Amino acid sequence: MDTELASWLLAAARAGDAERVRALVPCSGNFEEDGAPDAPGGVTPLMAAAGRGHEAVVEALLARGADA
């Protein structure tokens, strides 16, 4: 997995940027299991988005196969 793409995906999820998440997901590998390698506590994009209440991002990730 491209760690730079994983970092961008995690940042977009944290920011609530659903459009960017949708653009990055096809390119970023197994995003429901892989977070950025330096993510504290192994936080995945789905966790980051849900923890900040970004419903559109959560929906986008789940629609693309994230493990709930």
Side-chain angles (χ1 to χ4, degrees), residues 17-62:
D17 190 344
E19 185 175 329
R20 183 137 173 96
V21 167
R22 287 185 199 100
L24 291 170
V25 166
C27 301
S28 62
N30 193 357
F31 61 92
E32 73 272 15
E33 294 176 5
D34 302 330
D38 57 349
V43 175
T44 66
L46 183 62
M47 291 175 184
R52 293 181 179 204
H54 299 307
E55 292 180 35
V57 173
V58 169
E59 290 174 10
L61 291 167
L62 290 173

Side-chain angles (χ1 to χ4, degrees), residues 2-26:
D2 183 327
T3 57
E4 186 174 20
L5 284 175
S7 294
W8 291 343
L9 179 57
L10 185 57
R14 284 184 173 149
D17 190 344
E19 185 175 329
R20 183 137 173 96
V21 167
R22 287 185 199 100
L24 291 170
V25 166

